[in-house]
Amino acid sequence: MSEAMAATGASMGLLYLLPPGERVLRLAVVVGVSRRIAAPWARVPLEAPIPVAVAMRQRRIVWLASQEEMARRYPRVGLVLPYDFRLAAAPVLTSGAARGGIVLLWPSAHPTQLSTHERHVLGASCRSASRVLRQAADSGRPLLPGDEPRLLEPGPPREPEPAEAAAAVAFLERLPDGCCSLNVEGRIVFLNPAAATLVGADAEALLGTRPWESLPWLHDPVFEDRYRAAVIARQPTTFTARRPPDTWLSFRLFPGEGGVSVHITPAATEQALQPPDRGPAEAGPPGGATALYHLTHLAAVLSEAVGVADVVELVADQLVPAFGPGAMALLTVEEGRLHIVGHRGFPAEAMERSDAVPLSSGAPAARVLASGVPAFFASTADLERAHAHSAQRDGMAAWAYLPLTASGSPIGTLVLAYDQPHPFTSPERALFTSLAGLIAQALDRARLYDTQRRLAHSLQTGLLPHSLARIPSLEVAARYLPAGRGMDIGGDFYDLVRCGPGSAAAIGDVQGHNTTAAALMGQVRTAVHTHATAGASPGEILARTNRLLIDLDTDLFTSCLYAHLDLARNEVGLATAGHPPPLLRHPDGRTEVLDLPPGLLLGIEPDSAYATTRVPLEPGSVLALYTDGLVETPGADIGACTAALARRLAEATESDLDGLADALTDPSARQVPVTDDIALLLLRPTGA
């Protein structure tokens, strides 16, 4: 590693090893940076989208020429290391198998191409490492990474003559400006009296500490980020900070091989009001630790997004205030056109003109999607030069067009716009590119979810009755509330059947929440419906349906409640197969839970018998059939929950059944979220 660093002029180096039988690379050697900064990359899964893992999987050198390219190709790395540097990763191969990898980093001043000499040195270093690993393994003492990576200290600096050293110390002590030296780990190894005075602390107490940890007023993450940026990008950087109560100080960091030199001076008022510099020549929003935390937060909330609408809302809510654009639009590809799925800040008429743009139109949003390369226009003039026939008429003055690509496929474009001309700095471009990578992945998942949801809804509604049969002298209301997500399809069903001189109602719940359960639900409902028209008793209908499920051999069980209504005799015959008991509200409001003889779930025993119970059903009474999703609450007694539902039915003031059904299924009446599908069927004979 030392030879590779010296021969290539790299500023940082990492050596990874893959222990035998493992699939996770472990960091073994670190050069030019602290273990603390390297900690997020101490363990890298071999399948991860990380440069060193890709180099090992593909058996080739991976070269990244810019911060923007890093953000585009490896959003996860660009998210955590939003700094400008060059990177090369190469595999260490032993007998054709990848056993490790070497990563080298250079400052942004390095040419954008890896030279032939550097490639030769990197390849030779990997071959040397391979020989060492092979010899160690052959000797029976394989080299394995330690619990922590080994930190290679830089070579010792030139030893000064005593008189020279004394003169240097005297010079520093006379300076009115503060001078401080940090080692590779970020700890203070020297500071002059002026530095201690300016920061208001004892020099001896500061030695060996990290300033952003020992000085409370430097605890803001942006200050540590400036140190990280200086070390990783090897570029001078500055920031200002207020030492309480009202002393503003300017810190300028000069990185080198052995650490960072810090120059501390009082800051002018106007300088104090400026944000920390992002580099030696450019300072612009957003970057560094603050942007990192915004991105991390956005990544976290996007992981919770369910559908496309959620992604649009979360992106608009998080991105616009955190990153500064005045407007955003999210477009997705559908049938060869870019359709706007959501926007914020743009005029509605401008969005109407930009909707359904063909991918072949040459419009900025379509062109970046075709090329896969983001486009940034700092002013209207810049946009018109690049797209003379596609000038925007949205009232904005600067634009960023970011292609959204997931799993190698283009899925859409993210448009960010500013109401004033906006020069996009290199860190900002890389930041937005990382942002696009995160949004693309979330949008891809959301589109898949929406597709699955539509399929599930179509299947579910297709298996339930589109309308209930009209029965003279009987009022009916039904509700079905799905609680599943994605392809979690419930097996709840209900039906109302004309059968001879009477009518019948059925409600049931197939075990499981998937397409198999939904398909079986359709078969059970059809079987019950068919048997009901034959005029058999409720118990016999359940027995026949049970035998059908046994023959289907599905390994799924079904609860079912069947009710035969004889409106001429004002009675109902009931039979249950392990289903929640029905509720009966009498005309005077008194409500009872009907206790029926229990029956086994359908699909368990082929010879199960089901008893029929006949109950008076006066005109004006309400018979409520429901599935367990309406009464089951995690951790609560099912009997108590059923009794509570009976009380709600008794106390309900709604006169029409539709209003009563809405009241009983109102989610706000439940103390916990609905975790299962709900089916409800209300029946009220009118006597007319």
Side-chain angles (χ1 to χ4, degrees), residues 338-365:
L338 275 173
H339 293 269
I340 296 174
V341 294
H343 63 89
R344 180 78 59 86
F346 282 115
E349 57 273 16
M351 292 294 94
E352 291 176 3
R353 291 193 299 268
S354 302
D355 196 19
V357 173
L359 294 179
S360 59
S361 66

Side-chain angles (χ1 to χ4, degrees), residues 159-186:
E159 190 72 27
E161 297 293 332
E164 185 182 17
V169 171
F171 168 77
L172 292 171
E173 289 183 346
R174 288 192 297 267
L175 283 179
D177 296 344
C179 296
C180 175
S181 180
L182 310 180
N183 63 12
V184 174
E185 294 281 356

